[in-house]
């Protein structure tokens, strides 16, 4: 009755599920697709070219997310010239930068279409069971989705981030000091790195200038960044140094590794590290009591994003590393419960003690 639903189904679902036999569909892949569905722009495939999913829906959503970030930063920058700015003003500035995503009614139609495909296959005895049963929508689901119609599915990591930090990876239960599940969330939260930017880091991307350690986020033949403007030099956050990030860099140099996280694999669809890591991160949160819908990897970068976006604007203004370092130090979290992968990584207490000729016991 409507060509738009099958057209969407043919392009959207295989991006997450692949094009193999129905029996090979993994439930976690289906859950990832289901969680991603509300993030698709309402204008996808219509009007302006920026809403076309020519390179896939994940790439489309990344572009729209990035545009929202830039618009939010611009709105907040305009507030900086005003006096008596309230938190309500800032929330309003961020809200005005948001772009409409798929309505719950539209999401339900897309879910039901794929569900009907599975039902047809079962009725024709082409499949023993319908792998798309998870897409069914109950009345309670409808009410819940309708109630959150005006709310964005993604939120920001609040104090729940400390529940994540209490999970095994952050408590020393890792097989290798360069565990991506440990470092990538911290790189995103403290330095604003995108998932792919953090995953593709090389020891050669690290340097120092007048005593300030930095990371070069750059585009090479093997690397992906959002745009040429996304290439930038970012001071390393002191809390990452405290946790041993520079020790990891030196370890990889001694090993002759070209990547900071050499065991990460690229996804088959887009050839990006973030494809596989996103699934790993989702599964880790689901199995360790720290999964909440909307609190995905990107939400690390939203927390405290005002300071980060203003910092990003400063890159274009040619400000020095010292100024950027001072700004990035404004982003801070409590890492006292995190166990460093490197036993020798000095704590802030140890460093202060050494400055005064004391020894921590």
């Amino acid at each position: 009755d409507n060509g738009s639903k099958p057209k969407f189904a043919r392009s959207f679902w295989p991006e997450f599920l692949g094009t193999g036999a129905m029996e090979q569909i993994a439930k976690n892949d289906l859950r990832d697709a289901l969680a991603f569905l509300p993030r698709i722009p309402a204008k996808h495939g219509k009007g302006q070219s920026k809403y076309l999913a020519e390179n896939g829906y994940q790439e489309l959503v990344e572009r729209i997310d990035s545009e929202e970030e830039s618009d939010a930063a611009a709105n907040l920058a305009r507030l900086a010239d005003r006096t008596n700015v309230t938190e309500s003003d800032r929330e309003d500035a961020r809200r005005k930068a948001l772009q409409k995503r798929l309505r719950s009614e539209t999401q339900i139609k897309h879910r039901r279409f794929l569900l009907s495909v599975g039902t047809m296959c079962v009725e024709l005895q082409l499949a023993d069971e319908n792998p798309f049963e998870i897409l069914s929508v109950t009345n309670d689901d409808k009410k819940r989705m309708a109630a959150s119609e005006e709310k964005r599915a993604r939120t920001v990591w609040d104090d729940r981030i400390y529940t994540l930090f209490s999970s095994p990876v952050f408590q020393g239960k890792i097989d290798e000091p360069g565990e991506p599940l440990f470092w990538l969330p911290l790189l995103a939260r403290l330095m604003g790195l995108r998932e792919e930017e953090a995953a593709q880091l090389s020891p050669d991307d690290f340097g120092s200038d007048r005593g300030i350690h930095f990371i070069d986020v750059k585009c090479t033949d093997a690397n992906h960044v959002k745009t040429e403007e996304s290439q930038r030099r970012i001071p390393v956050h002191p809390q990452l140094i405290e946790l041993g990030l520079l020790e990891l860099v030196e370890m990889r140099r001694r090993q002759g590794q070209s990547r900071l996280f050499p065991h990460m694999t690229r996804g088959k669809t887009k050839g990006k590290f973030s494809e596989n890591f996103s699934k790993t991160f989702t599964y880790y949160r689901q199995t360790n009591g720290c999964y909440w819908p909307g609190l995905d990897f990107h939400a690390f970068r939203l927390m405290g994003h005002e300071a980060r976006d203003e910092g990003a604007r400063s890159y274009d203004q040619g400000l020095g590393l010292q100024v950027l370092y001072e700004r990035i130090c404004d982003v801070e979290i409590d890492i006292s419960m995190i166990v460093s992968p490197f036993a020798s990584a000095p704590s802030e207490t140890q460093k202060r003690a050494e400055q005064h000729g004391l020894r921590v016991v």
Side-chain angles (χ1 to χ4, degrees):
D1 64 326
N2 189 329
S4 63
K5 291 196 291 294
K7 182 180 178 180
F8 175 85
R10 284 195 299 268
S11 56
F12 174 74
W13 299 106
E15 185 173 341
F16 290 85
L17 308 178
T19 56
M22 287 176 57
E23 291 82 359
Q24 297 173 348
I25 293 176
K27 286 188 177 180
N28 277 340
D29 289 344
L30 193 53
R31 291 191 182 97
D32 285 341
L34 190 57
F36 194 86
L37 190 60
R39 296 173 58 188
I40 296 177
K43 296 181 180 180
H44 75 93
K46 304 173 185 176
Q48 303 177 46
S49 59
K50 73 176 183 179
Y51 291 114
L52 297 179
E54 295 177 334
N55 296 310
Y57 283 94
Q58 294 182 73
E59 191 274 338
L60 169 62
V61 168
E62 286 178 357
R63 281 193 284 111
I64 299 303
D65 285 350
S66 183
E67 186 173 301
E68 282 187 347
E69 293 173 18
S70 299
D71 291 345
N75 292 346
L76 291 167
R78 283 191 283 271
L79 288 179
D81 298 327
R82 290 174 42 187
T83 57
N84 301 322
V85 176
T86 66
E87 183 57 33
S88 177
D89 293 328
R90 297 188 183 92
E91 289 180 1
D92 189 55
R94 296 186 186 98
R95 181 185 58 78
K96 288 179 178 178
L98 299 179
Q99 299 190 36
K100 290 184 178 180
R101 308 296 170 118
L102 285 186
R103 295 176 55 202
S104 60
E105 180 181 343
T106 305
Q107 295 175 43
I108 291 173
K109 289 180 179 179
H110 289 316
R111 291 169 62 157
R112 284 178 171 169
F113 180 84
L114 189 60
L115 179 64
S116 68
V117 172
T119 300
M120 178 189 69
C121 289
V122 172
E123 291 177 349
L124 294 176
Q125 297 183 348
L126 299 175
D128 294 330
E129 60 181 22
N130 188 348
F132 307 125
E133 283 293 342
I134 191 176
L135 300 178
S136 61
V137 182
T138 66
N139 289 333
D140 287 341
D141 290 332
K142 289 182 184 179
K143 292 178 182 178
R144 174 181 53 79
M145 295 170 73
S148 61
E149 187 70 65
E150 296 301 322
K151 298 179 182 178
R152 179 58 57 86
R154 172 181 293 143
T155 181
V156 297
W157 282 90
D158 44 31
D159 283 348
R160 285 174 287 185
I161 196 172
Y162 299 115
T163 302
L164 175 67
F165 289 163
S166 298
S167 66
V169 160
F170 296 92
Q171 297 301 309
K173 297 180 180 180
I174 54 179
D175 297 326
E176 211 263 352
E179 170 57 60
L181 284 168
F182 179 91
W183 290 109
L184 264 61
L186 291 169
L187 284 163
R189 176 60 186 88
L190 292 170
M191 295 183 62
L193 290 189
R194 297 180 174 92
E195 197 168 5
E196 191 69 19
E197 291 172 343
Q200 66 193 10
L201 283 174
S202 164
D204 294 337
D205 294 332
F206 289 76
S208 63
D209 183 12
R210 286 168 289 184
I212 298 178
H213 297 279
F214 63 81
I215 295 176
D216 263 331
V217 178
K218 54 194 176 187
C219 182
T220 66
D221 291 340
N223 283 359
H224 303 271
V225 293
K226 285 283 187 182
T227 62
E228 289 187 7
E229 291 74 21
S230 296
Q231 300 185 86
R232 59 205 188 277
R233 178 170 288 186
I234 312 175
V236 178
H237 197 288
Q239 289 187 317
L240 288 171
I241 296 177
E242 180 180 350
L243 290 170
L245 179 61
L246 298 184
E247 292 197 33
L248 176 61
V249 173
E250 290 304 317
M251 185 183 81
R252 294 301 189 220
R253 286 173 177 163
R254 291 193 302 270
Q255 294 172 341
Q257 294 286 355
S258 61
R259 296 282 185 189
L260 209 59
F261 310 107
H263 303 296
M264 293 188 70
T265 57
R266 296 181 185 273
K268 295 180 179 179
T269 305
K270 299 298 178 184
K272 293 185 177 182
F273 294 113
S274 53
E275 288 183 63
N276 291 343
F277 180 78
S278 293
K279 297 175 183 179
T280 301
F281 186 52
T282 297
Y283 180 76
Y284 176 81
R285 288 178 292 141
Q286 289 174 339
T287 54
N288 285 282
C290 46
Y291 177 86
W292 298 274
L295 285 183
D296 57 6
F297 188 90
H298 185 80
F300 288 121
R301 302 181 65 242
L302 293 176
M303 191 174 182
H305 215 288
E306 179 179 357
R308 288 292 311 127
D309 279 339
E310 179 60 27
R313 290 165 58 86
S314 300
Y315 295 119
D316 297 331
Q317 299 169 14
L319 296 183
L321 271 180
Q322 180 61 44
V323 176
L324 295 177
Y325 178 75
E326 292 171 0
R327 292 188 178 183
I328 208 167
C329 285
D330 291 335
V331 180
E332 191 173 17
I333 53 178
D334 181 5
I335 61 171
S336 61
M337 75 288 294
I338 298 177
V339 177
S340 168
F342 295 91
S344 59
S347 68
E348 285 297 319
T349 303
Q350 288 173 315
K351 287 186 286 187
R352 287 196 298 270
E354 289 171 0
Q355 291 173 357
H356 293 85
L358 301 174
R359 181 170 60 91
V360 177
V361 295

